[in-house]
Amino acid sequence: MANIKSAKKRISIINKKTARNRRVKSHLKAIVKNFDAALAASDFETAKEKLVLAEKRFMQAAAKGTIHKNAASRKVSRLAKKFNQAKAR
């Protein structure tokens, strides 16, 4: 356990940031699951809405530093590719 006041403060700040990052990441996973479920049901209108929402949330997470910018772009790109392939069938 930290004895110095600034170290105690850093611990509490790290705990807050960790909690926020976990919350954001689990939210992103839920959005991707909803998108996949809509694709599996061949509901392309809902899937398109979920794709737009996913792109927005991934980019917000990247802007805040929760995930890397390139990782967010890669995930959005893969979702869009999956959507386009499902739509083409």
Side-chain angles (χ1 to χ4, degrees):
M1 183 65 200
N3 292 324
I4 299 168
K5 187 176 180 182
S6 61
K8 289 178 184 177
K9 184 177 179 181
R10 290 307 306 167
I11 289 171
S12 70
I13 291 171
I14 288 168
N15 288 339
K16 286 179 192 173
K17 286 185 176 187
T18 301
R20 182 184 189 284
N21 288 344
R22 282 188 182 150
R23 191 168 58 245
V24 169
K25 285 182 180 182
S26 68
H27 182 66
L28 291 174
K29 288 176 191 172
I31 289 172
V32 171
K33 276 186 186 178
N34 291 339
F35 171 77
D36 288 338
L39 270 189
S42 297
D43 187 3
F44 296 116
E45 191 64 35
T46 305
K48 179 68 175 168
E49 292 172 13
K50 299 295 181 186
L51 179 61
V52 171
L53 177 66
E55 182 175 3
K56 179 179 179 182
R57 296 293 189 215
F58 272 113
M59 293 307 159
Q60 283 178 340
K64 294 290 184 182
T66 302
I67 60 174
H68 196 273
K69 181 182 70 162
N70 292 354
S73 294
R74 182 181 67 242
K75 289 175 191 237
V76 169
S77 175
R78 288 179 181 171
L79 290 177
K81 184 178 177 183
K82 191 186 289 188
F83 176 76
N84 290 333
Q85 286 177 343
K87 202 172 181 184
R89 287 184 193 156

